[in-house]
Amino acid sequence: MIKISDKVLKKQKNFWNDALFHPTDAVEDSWGKRIIDRFAEDKSINTIRIYTMFEDIVYEDMEGNLCYDFRVNDLRLDYLTEKGFNILLAYAAIPDCIAKRTDTTTSVSFNKTRYKGKMFNTSPPKDYALWEEVCYQYTKHIVERYGIDTVSKWRMQCWNEPDIKNFFMSELPDTPEYTPQRVAEYNKLYEAFVKGILKASDKLIIGGSALAWKLPFLKGWLDFVKEKKLRLDFISLHNYGTGGKSMDDGTKPRCIENHLEKQKGFIDCINEAGFKGVPIVLDEWGLAGGGFVNCTVHPSLICRETEVYSAYFVKLIHAFIHSEYEMDKLIICLSGQHEMTENFSGFRNFFTMDFIAKPIYNSYVLASKLKEDLLDYSADNKSLAVIPTRDGEGNTAVLLSYANKYFTEEVESTTEELTFEENLKCKKLTVWCIDKTHTNPYRVFERSGMTEPLSPEEIKLLREEGKLKPIFEGEYDGNAVKLDLTPNSTYLVTVS
């Protein structure tokens, strides 16, 4: 029995309906716009994180002066702002014309090149005053173009994963003895970034470091920020639950506790450095890391295509809501979107190659329907995570997932009854479900014995399966709502 109380535990802001859209430069392309349009239509995403991609903007003239061409940048930001999204901008990477080195590029991709053949220069600038100027000119431009009222709601972040060679100083190994060298350069990068932005406006939200995972790097940077008394409005971190190889060999199975354990390490470091209470943005999260690998490399990543990921997402929201770690943003990383050569290959994205919605996307749509008052509840079944909410007009939305600790099949299917303490009789009751037989294109593909490439008829069928449709809609009679729970199932029940 699941009993939804009338008692409000707290106001709960939505910190979970946000995404990193990668590659950034797909925003100007038709396939990228198609995804962005879907986000806007479904109201599934609130904040989108993208890169500034300074390599597209900054160049030198014949006299060696820095020049700026914002046209492509403006195409991207115009589209996102017109659709109503809030923005998190990662100020990266160093354009070649101000880089100390031009031979330190990295692909960070499955097919050995970034989108459109571009590479990421991991070098520090040859002169940090030049980096400060780039940050200033870019910020000045977006404030003038979009207005301070809009841009002051955005977040500006210095770099991406500067603690590892994939994105910063790739000429150095990723071994502990090189962390002090990396953090020393990043400290200068961050200081110049802060100065450049504040020169444009002191009303903007500034943060870093989009840390991959290295706590010594985090400590070294925070100590520097404290010593120099630099602005730090939020701390951005990356928190992946496990990896494909670790799931394949069983050394680190998928588990929500993996995120909480990692978060504890981050928070302990932040508190010890004197930054307790600074908002935390997990600007990348995922069930598993490895954005540019799929199940051809690690077979266990097929869970990115299934009901497992949707149930995992709901349980992660539930865990953070009831943990001691207050969250400002939880931003899923959508990468590998341009890498697909078939539909169901386990890349880290919301839609397949033929634009078939995955269960993880539809769980985002369901989660977006939650309200601002978090209600108390009781449930006998320990495999259930329940998020009951209500708004000021008495509209109720209950999101729940049913799964065991490791999101395996080793949990019995059952029927649970959902009841409300508040009298909601005669209101409209709507029930949505994501499980093996509802809103699950991959399971239809699997059961039907389909093979790639899909026929036009198969694509049409699977796209229809990927559309989120209620399994029940009608007047609520006041009796218990019966839910058939199977392993890794997700439900949303609304009464309004």
Side-chain angles (χ1 to χ4, degrees):
M1 177 71 75
I2 308 164
K3 297 180 180 180
I4 307 302
S5 170
D6 193 31
K7 178 185 176 183
V8 176
L9 294 178
K10 61 177 176 176
K11 292 286 184 184
Q12 179 60 63
K13 79 165 193 171
N14 182 323
F15 60 78
W16 48 82
N17 275 103
D18 306 302
L20 160 59
F21 189 86
H22 189 277
T24 291
D25 36 347
V27 175
E28 73 240 27
D29 297 335
S30 58
W31 71 266
K33 288 180 178 178
R34 188 179 191 181
I35 296 171
I36 297 295
D37 289 351
R38 185 69 175 269
F39 292 170
E41 179 185 348
D42 293 340
K43 296 181 172 56
S44 57
I45 298 298
N46 300 323
T47 295
I48 290 182
R49 177 189 176 217
I50 58 170
Y51 295 152
T52 54
M53 296 194 71
F54 287 141
E55 66 267 38
D56 284 349
I57 297 171
V58 186
Y59 64 98
E60 281 185 344
D61 65 15
M62 298 296 289
E63 286 74 44
N65 300 310
L66 288 186
C67 300
Y68 302 86
D69 184 347
F70 293 109
R71 287 174 295 178
V72 177
N73 172 81
D74 294 348
L75 284 174
R76 298 167 191 157
L77 288 180
D78 285 357
Y79 202 80
L80 294 174
T81 54
E82 285 166 9
K83 295 292 179 180
F85 297 105
N86 201 4
I87 309 292
L88 190 156
L89 285 165
Y91 279 49
I94 299 294
D96 285 352
C97 60
I98 71 165
K100 184 181 293 185
R101 305 174 59 152
T102 58
D103 62 342
T104 53
T105 56
T106 180
S107 61
V108 199
S109 65
F110 186 64
N111 293 321
K112 308 306 178 189
T113 182
R114 290 174 75 210
Y115 188 50
K116 301 180 181 179
K118 297 175 183 177
M119 302 291 276
F120 191 101
N121 192 337
T122 70
S123 170
K126 59 188 175 186
D127 182 345
Y128 282 93
L130 295 175
W131 168 247
E132 179 181 330
E133 180 66 12
V134 167
C135 293
Y136 164 65
Q137 292 292 347
Y138 181 82
T139 308
K140 176 173 174 286
H141 171 76
I142 61 173
V143 168
E144 289 174 350
R145 186 172 182 85
Y146 302 104
I148 192 62
D149 288 347
T150 293
V151 181
S152 63
K153 297 180 178 68
W154 297 359
R155 290 169 177 77
M156 283 69 185
Q157 159 190 297
C158 184
W159 215 255
N160 178 71
E161 296 188 346
D163 53 322
I164 60 174
K165 66 178 291 184
N166 285 8
F167 290 98
F168 196 52
M169 304 178 74
S170 58
E171 75 277 13
L172 301 179
D174 261 339
T175 48
E177 61 266 30
Y178 291 98
T179 293
Q181 190 172 339
R182 274 201 181 87
V183 75
E185 290 297 327
Y186 180 74
N187 287 344
K188 291 183 279 187
L189 198 74
Y190 184 77
E191 182 175 20
F193 158 82
V194 170
K195 289 178 178 177
I197 288 181
L198 291 181
K199 194 186 300 183
S201 174
D202 63 358
K203 296 179 180 178
L204 303 178
I205 303 172
I206 302 170
S209 63
L211 186 86
W213 56 272
K214 294 185 179 180
L215 292 179
F217 187 101
L218 179 60
K219 183 180 186 309
W221 169 60
L222 290 175
D223 286 346
F224 176 81
V225 170
K226 186 175 183 180
E227 177 189 348
K228 300 286 281 188
K229 298 180 180 177
L230 299 175
R231 272 274 296 276
L232 182 59
D233 301 318
F234 68 93
I235 298 170
S236 55
L237 309 161
H238 296 175
N239 191 330
Y240 291 97
T242 181
K245 183 178 183 297
S246 300
M247 286 196 292
D248 285 350
D249 62 23
T251 56
K252 192 173 186 181
R254 58 196 179 220
C255 180
I256 297 301
E257 282 73 12
N258 294 337
H259 296 275
L260 298 179
E261 181 182 341
K262 185 176 288 187
Q263 198 73 0
K264 183 180 187 307
F266 288 150
I267 298 299
D268 286 349
C269 181
I270 290 166
N271 291 348
E272 288 168 9
F275 289 89
K276 185 175 183 179
V278 174
I280 302 298
V281 172
L282 291 186
D283 66 305
E284 287 189 29
W285 86 271
L287 182 156
F292 299 99
V293 292
N294 63 3
C295 56
T296 64
V297 181
H298 300 301
S300 57
L301 290 177
I302 195 65
C303 64
R304 290 172 173 168
E305 308 287 350
T306 73
E307 70 285 347
V308 167
Y309 209 173
S310 57
Y312 191 98
F313 171 55
V314 175
K315 283 216 165 186
L316 184 64
I317 297 172
H318 182 271
F320 275 125
I321 283 175
H322 294 284
S323 77
E324 58 187 302
Y325 313 125
E326 187 170 346
M327 194 67 56
D328 188 58
K329 289 285 179 188
L330 179 67
I331 302 177
I332 193 169
C333 182
L334 305 176
S335 57
Q337 295 187 113
H338 65 295
E339 303 271 13
M340 293 179 285
T341 57
E342 56 185 357
N343 282 284
F344 301 108
S345 55
F347 274 121
R348 196 166 61 188
N349 38 45
F350 278 159
F351 298 93
T352 75
M353 182 178 68
D354 287 315
F355 202 62
I356 300 162
K358 300 182 181 185
I360 180 61
Y361 176 69
N362 281 311
S363 64
Y364 267 71
V365 178
L366 294 182
S368 72
K369 299 178 186 297
L370 290 172
K371 311 303 180 182
E372 63 271 18
D373 288 340
L374 182 69
L375 302 176
D376 199 4
Y377 77 96
S378 62
D380 299 329
N381 194 320
K382 301 305 180 185
S383 294
L384 273 170
V386 184
I387 308 172
T389 63
R390 185 180 62 200
D391 65 16
E393 298 177 354
N395 300 309
T396 302
V398 181
L399 184 65
L400 60 90
S401 72
Y402 178 64
N404 65 12
K405 181 177 181 179
Y406 298 112
F407 298 86
T408 67
E409 296 294 313
E410 296 166 1
V411 57
E412 289 185 5
S413 296
T414 186
T415 298
E416 286 283 351
E417 293 187 336
L418 175 68
T419 64
F420 298 93
E421 184 177 271
E422 184 180 6
N423 181 9
L424 302 174
K425 191 175 179 180
C426 297
K427 291 190 173 186
K428 180 181 178 182
L429 170 68
T430 310
V431 182
W432 291 267
C433 177
I434 301 171
D435 62 10
K436 284 190 179 65
T437 56
H438 297 92
T439 327
N440 202 325
Y442 174 74
R443 295 301 186 190
V444 172
F445 170 86
E446 186 180 47
R447 285 194 301 270
S448 303
M450 296 179 187
T451 57
E452 302 274 7
L454 298 174
S455 70
E457 293 75 21
E458 289 169 334
I459 292 170
K460 183 178 179 181
L461 185 152
L462 294 176
R463 283 181 183 167
E464 186 62 29
E465 175 66 19
K467 291 180 181 178
L468 193 58
K469 300 174 284 292
I471 62 170
F472 178 84
E473 202 168 12
E475 185 177 289
Y476 180 45
D477 61 10
N479 294 320
V481 180
K482 291 186 178 181
L483 305 175
D484 294 324
L485 303 178
T486 56
N488 303 305
S489 55
T490 297
Y491 278 87
L492 178 73
V493 179
T494 63
V495 188
S496 58

